[in-house]
Amino acid sequence: MSANPLDTALYTLKQAAELAEIDPKVTELLSVPKRTMEFTFPMRMDNGEVRIFTAYRVHWCDALGNFKDGTRFTGNLTLDELKALALWMTIKHGVGGIPAGGGKGGIVVDPGELSNWELERLSRSFMRHLPMKGAWVDVPGADIGTSEQTQAWMLDEYESITGCHSPAAVNDKPAAVSGTLGSAEATGRGVYYVFEQVVKDFGFSKDCSVAVQGFGKVGSVLAELLNKDGYKVTATSDIYGGIYSPDGIDCALLAEHVSKTGSVVDFPGTKPVSNEELLELEADILVPAAVQSVIGKENAPQIKAKMIIEAANGPVTPEAEEYLQGKKIPVIPDVLANVGGATVCHFERIQGLTDEYWDLDRVNKQLKDWILKAYAQMITTAEQKNTTYRMAAWMNALLKIEASVKKRGWV
Ligand code: NAD
């Protein structure tokens, strides 16, 4: 299997489609994007020079609803990466029961090289030049290199162009600009709800140990929620290295340490471990919450955890999953475990369309209901079809998409 994420996504699509007996014409349709857009635009930099930027937006499949999802501002952005992510989002929306299609886009730029004024002009330019947009067309959200602030600028630009308020046209906005409460922590919180259910369903006890690779937006929220609920997080990490304490780490204090020092490294009372060692520790549940492909066929035999919950996108390669399946180490897949962010984006859209804004309890309660419903459907399909949780989640999504594609008469 190549390291190209699009190849991995298409491989999983093919496997799940065969298992679910999806009409081959539907699989063929889902194996290519509906459209890819590459566009360029000039922008004057602070020093007076004009720079030409390259941007993309990929629309995969909109059988379940209009296109939606993130915008990356990264220096090494590729069209294949965006295609893979747009396909993943198509599936993730299907898994989560979210009436939306899969989209993904971005600009080839390292935002760290830009001043704040340049970042604002760039975000506004992206929105101005984006060929298709609007609450019922394509709704860009945040991703790597973008933030609540870039999304607020994008919405403001969209509203300036159209001359009307349209809060549902952009996602991941701050609550002050018609966003939703609970958005920043939605993905980590969703993983936490899945974790709680896994503990019940798979016979773990409250004193089980958990290793969380990555203490970023997703990992830190999850780790702190686990701690608050009395679970023992024995290891965590960031790009600079990891920390380990068999008695458990105080994750609220760790968050303070990270905001002072910029890293989890050297947190008092813990031993250093590398990111590779963290994955191989004696922990009951392992949650990779950093980057893709960290568990491959080389290190899969060293995994000692009894269960893996994928908070990151694609942390376990298909080869590694095959090995882990043989060892009876279940993997709860990314498309289910981290669907909390996409779910709350959908709630943001509902609030924007109705102009009725929810309190945080309502957001969190609905998130829990939605993600646990999707989880239960995944467990049922896995049992009925005697397959992995990843296959089951993808099958559920594909069956929903197939029903819509066929009723629409597309194939
Ligand atoms: P983040 O950038 O906030 O945090 C990533 C963490 O991983 C940081 O602690 C970082 O230092 C660490 N890290 C980065 N590169 C690493 C490496 N090579 N080895 C080990 N650690 C490394 O990102 P995030 O938003 O928390 O996202 C984490 C994962 O979850 C990603 O795979 C992302 O695609 C996925 N995800 C995030 C969201 C979301 O809402 N933020 C939603 C769905 C999926």
Side-chain angles (χ1 to χ4, degrees), residues 52-311:
I52 314 291
F53 287 93
T54 299
Y56 305 105
R57 188 77 183 164
V58 177
H59 288 171
W60 201 269
C61 176
D62 59 348
L64 295 182
N66 66 262
F67 297 105
K68 191 156 80 67
D69 208 53
T71 314
R72 289 194 166 180
F73 288 1
T74 56
N76 53 2
L77 190 70
T78 67
L79 195 51
D80 264 6
E81 164 191 350
L82 292 173
K83 285 181 184 172
L85 291 162
L87 166 54
W88 250 314
M89 283 317 301
T90 303
I91 299 299
K92 210 180 275 191
H93 287 144
V95 171
I98 299 161
K104 208 84 177 188
I107 304 178
V108 186
V109 61
D110 177 356
E113 291 173 356
L114 303 177
S115 72
N116 204 42
W117 292 119
E118 287 170 338
L119 185 61
E120 175 174 350
R121 288 201 295 281
L122 190 72
S123 307
R124 289 181 181 278
S125 297
F126 177 78
M127 204 43 170
R128 246 188 349 269
H129 293 93
L130 188 64
M132 299 176 72
K133 52 197 167 243
W136 296 102
V137 181
D138 183 5
V139 181
D143 201 296
I144 299 171
T146 47
S147 62
E148 277 193 348
Q149 181 58 74
T150 59
Q151 301 314 103
W153 288 324
M154 284 187 205
L155 179 70
D156 190 62
E157 189 65 22
Y158 180 82
E159 293 183 340
S160 305
I161 298 165
T162 58
C164 65
H165 276 278
S166 185
V170 171
N171 262 333
D172 297 311
K173 318 169 292 289
V177 188
S178 321
T180 180
L181 297 173
S183 156
E185 63 167 31
T187 304
R189 182 171 279 279
V191 180
Y192 168 71
Y193 292 142
V194 169
F195 176 96
E196 278 185 307
Q197 196 61 40
V198 160
V199 166
K200 283 185 206 150
D201 291 354
F202 291 81
F204 292 100
S205 65
K206 194 84 195 211
D207 62 358
C208 65
S209 55
V210 193
V212 180
Q213 187 190 45
F215 198 73
K217 290 188 282 294
V218 177
S220 66
V221 167
L222 169 70
E224 285 196 56
L225 287 171
L226 289 172
N227 250 202
K228 269 191 205 146
D229 204 16
Y231 289 102
K232 201 165 56 174
V233 177
T234 52
T236 190
S237 68
D238 57 32
I239 194 162
Y240 307 107
I243 54 172
Y244 170 63
S245 168
D247 299 329
I249 297 165
D250 183 326
C251 295
L253 282 182
L254 176 62
E256 284 175 25
H257 173 83
V258 171
S259 59
K260 275 191 218 131
T261 68
S263 171
V264 300
V265 171
D266 291 335
F267 182 57
T270 61
K271 291 182 206 153
V273 285
S274 69
N275 265 295
E276 294 72 31
E277 288 164 341
L278 179 144
L279 299 169
E280 298 169 15
L281 289 171
E282 296 276 359
D284 292 304
I285 301 179
L286 173 61
V287 186
V291 288
Q292 73 286 348
S293 307
V294 290
I295 303 175
K297 62 175 186 293
E298 300 77 20
N299 62 348
Q302 278 74 258
I303 301 293
K304 296 178 197 71
K306 301 183 183 79
M307 180 99 201
I308 295 176
I309 301 177
E310 290 187 326

